[in-house]
Amino acid sequence: MDQLSENELHALVSLLDDTDREVKGHVRDRIISLGHEVIPFLEKKWEDSFNPEIQKEIEELVHDLQFSQLKERLIDWRNSPEQDLLTGLWIINTYQYPDLEFEKINAEMHQIYFEVWTAFKNDLLPYEQVRIINGVLFSNLRFSANTKNFHSPGNSMLSNVLDTKKGNPISLCAIYLLVAQKLGLPIYGVNLPNLFVLTYKSADATFYINAFNKGLIFSKKDIRNYLEHLKIEPLDVFFEPCSNKDIIIRTLRNLTVAFEKLGETEKVTEIRELLAIVENLNLPN
């Protein structure tokens, strides 16, 4: 913003409906080069404008700037040693809700943790501990599977899942996982074909949890039966904990499918771009 005066910015924006495509292209490039700090100015110009062409151009500019900022955050997340799960989910969330603050989603997750923590007892057996979490999340707080709109993009947006209390397997597992790990429990994500589940894995106990089915507890044998039914080879990866990066990748893949089903090809392209960043398939930055 400090590279141009306010008058110069006003003049630039007024050229967005120029009939010369080359001029318009130069104007867009110049505004984009100013970075995301220029977004509030553009939003104010959109409100003040009565020209639908300029409004449309501003909308596209703001989206491009917000998407660029999202990619920068995702690169930083990918390169961070901890790859914090909640931060990764928040970054994805800002694709649909760019103004969402991390503090808001963090506070909501802390409230859920507090609800579980007040009912929790550390001296219980693992199965009993899990049943307490299940009771709070699925009975008291009424989180449930979104079976009616399974492929909705909202199921991959944590803020939306927290608002509606409905989600897909991976978003419900993510909420469960974030709470359980804050309680100090050895609970991790597991990447199954067509289904994301959790595992309680310690020296004393190993079992699995289906958050999409109200925290149903099941065994390694059940996974084998499931894979056999799908005619899929029982690879080790289907029984062992996955990483936070794996969870973010799977969330983005779900989003790709969701937008494909809606026929939103531009969003599919953008989500694939984000996926390439997390998978480190993009060009070096």
Side-chain angles (χ1 to χ4, degrees), residues 111-121 128-144 165 175-176 179 183 214:
Q111 184 58 40
I112 293 169
Y113 160 75
F114 182 76
E115 299 263 355
V116 176
W117 178 77
T118 53
F120 198 72
K121 295 182 177 67
E128 293 167 339
Q129 291 177 329
V130 165
R131 285 193 182 99
I132 286 176
I133 299 174
N134 289 348
V136 176
L137 290 183
F138 305 116
S139 295
N140 298 3
L141 298 178
R142 298 185 180 279
F143 280 97
S144 64
K165 303 291 177 71
I175 290 168
Y176 200 116
V179 170
L183 289 166
K214 298 184 178 180

Side-chain angles (χ1 to χ4, degrees), residues 51-224:
N51 184 329
E53 283 298 314
I54 286 184
Q55 285 184 322
K56 184 172 180 294
E57 291 290 338
I58 289 174
E59 285 168 15
E60 290 177 4
L61 273 169
V62 168
H63 174 74
D64 289 349
L65 286 163
Q66 288 170 335
F67 188 59
S68 177
Q69 184 180 32
L70 192 164
K71 288 189 288 185
E72 287 172 16
R73 286 171 173 164
L74 203 55
I75 290 165
D76 288 343
W77 182 88
R78 182 199 66 201
N79 295 337
S80 67
E82 66 278 4
Q83 294 186 338
D84 178 70
L85 179 57
L86 184 58
T87 301
L89 292 170
W90 164 70
I91 292 168
I92 293 174
N93 213 142
T94 62
Y95 180 72
Q96 291 277 80
Y97 304 97
D99 295 328
L100 177 70
E101 297 289 341
F102 175 79
E103 288 70 23
K104 181 180 185 297
I105 212 165
N106 188 41
E108 289 182 43
M109 281 304 308
H110 185 78
Q111 184 58 40
I112 293 169
Y113 160 75
F114 182 76
E115 299 263 355
V116 176
W117 178 77
T118 53
F120 198 72
K121 295 182 177 67
N122 286 312
D123 56 354
L124 295 176
L125 293 171
Y127 288 96
E128 293 167 339
Q129 291 177 329
V130 165
R131 285 193 182 99
I132 286 176
I133 299 174
N134 289 348
V136 176
L137 290 183
F138 305 116
S139 295
N140 298 3
L141 298 178
R142 298 185 180 279
F143 280 97
S144 64
N146 192 348
T147 51
K148 286 185 179 177
N149 296 298
F150 184 80
H151 292 292
S152 167
N155 289 331
S156 297
M157 299 288 151
L158 189 57
S159 66
N160 193 71
V161 178
L162 292 173
D163 287 344
T164 64
K165 303 291 177 71
K166 291 186 180 296
N168 58 18
I170 197 160
S171 60
L172 293 174
C173 277
I175 290 168
Y176 200 116
L177 178 62
L178 287 163
V179 170
Q181 291 192 340
K182 201 163 184 178
L183 289 166
L185 299 179
I187 290 179
Y188 313 93
V190 178
N191 245 330
L192 278 178
N194 304 332
L195 182 65
F196 194 88
V197 296
L198 301 168
T199 181
Y200 186 110
K201 191 175 181 66
S202 70
D204 303 319
T206 298
F207 56 90
Y208 298 86
I209 307 159
N210 185 353
F212 197 63
N213 191 6
K214 298 184 178 180
L216 177 75
I217 295 171
F218 60 105
S219 67
K220 193 168 187 175
K221 184 182 177 184
D222 293 320
I223 291 183
R224 287 190 179 280

Side-chain angles (χ1 to χ4, degrees), residues 67 70 74 92 95 157 251-257 259 266-277:
F67 188 59
L70 192 164
L74 203 55
I92 293 174
Y95 180 72
M157 299 288 151
T251 300
L252 286 168
R253 285 179 179 160
N254 283 349
L255 261 183
T256 304
V257 172
F259 287 129
E266 287 182 13
K267 290 186 177 181
V268 170
T269 300
E270 288 180 335
I271 297 300
R272 283 180 178 156
E273 199 175 331
L274 300 181
L275 193 53
I277 288 172

